[in-house]
Amino acid sequence: MAEETIFSKIIRREIPSDIVYQDDMVTAFRDIAPQAPTHILIIPNILLPTVNDVKPEHEQVLGHMIITAAKIAEQEGIAENGYRLVVNCNRHGGQEVYHIHMHLLGGKVLGPMLSH
Ligand code: AMP
């Protein structure tokens, strides 16, 4: 069994967070340390620690995460100019919280994808 993270508490609304969208499959909330004018995390309500844990049965929820990201980008007014979706995996990917999450970043020109 994977260990719960703080994100499970956010899903269950046990700790304060700025939730912008929630349904039976996903939860989306503003990142506590924003890296761009819009920085929202989209997470599955089920606990999947990393991309390495993804199985074929998770296709629907993962697809729903992208659909949700696109809807939120529209709501945030950043869809037309564009934005970046990022999913970090494990140490080399820079993952800090072991509950899969998609970063939705936008609201400015984001620059090159990787800093060296
Ligand atoms: P990652 O490095 O991809 O694992 O990203 C984890 C993200 O979670 C970071 O951008 C953090 O700022 C964010 N984060 C951590 N704790 C919270 C929290 N309680 N509420 C909102 N965002 C958080």
Side-chain angles (χ1 to χ4, degrees):
M1 261 302 264
E3 243 179 70
E4 279 194 359
T5 73
I6 196 164
F7 288 180
S8 291
K9 290 187 167 44
I10 289 176
I11 292 165
R12 295 194 297 264
R13 297 176 186 249
E14 289 170 3
I15 59 163
S17 70
D18 190 352
I19 293 178
V20 297
Y21 179 81
Q22 188 168 45
D23 62 23
D24 58 341
M25 275 197 274
V26 300
T27 301
F29 52 97
R30 293 192 193 278
D31 196 290
I32 205 165
Q35 306 290 314
T38 294
H39 188 173
I40 290 167
L41 301 175
I42 297 129
I43 67 176
N45 293 341
I46 55 161
L47 172 51
L48 283 171
T50 81
V51 174
N52 292 336
D53 300 300
V54 168
K55 303 276 184 301
E57 64 259 32
H58 302 128
E59 255 179 31
Q60 197 186 357
V61 70
L62 293 172
H64 193 58
M65 284 167 66
I66 296 190
I67 289 169
T68 302
K71 271 191 204 150
I72 294 172
E74 191 70 43
Q75 278 164 24
E76 293 282 313
I78 60 171
E80 195 178 330
N81 281 337
Y83 50 90
R84 185 171 291 160
L85 300 177
V86 175
V87 181
N88 295 322
C89 180
N90 278 346
R91 191 168 57 87
H92 281 194
Q95 185 171 6
E96 289 170 3
V97 180
Y98 283 79
H99 183 133
I100 281 187
H101 48 281
M102 180 177 287
H103 296 256
L104 165 61
L105 296 145
K108 67 173 187 180
V109 175
L110 294 170
M113 194 165 69
L114 298 176
S115 57
H116 297 281

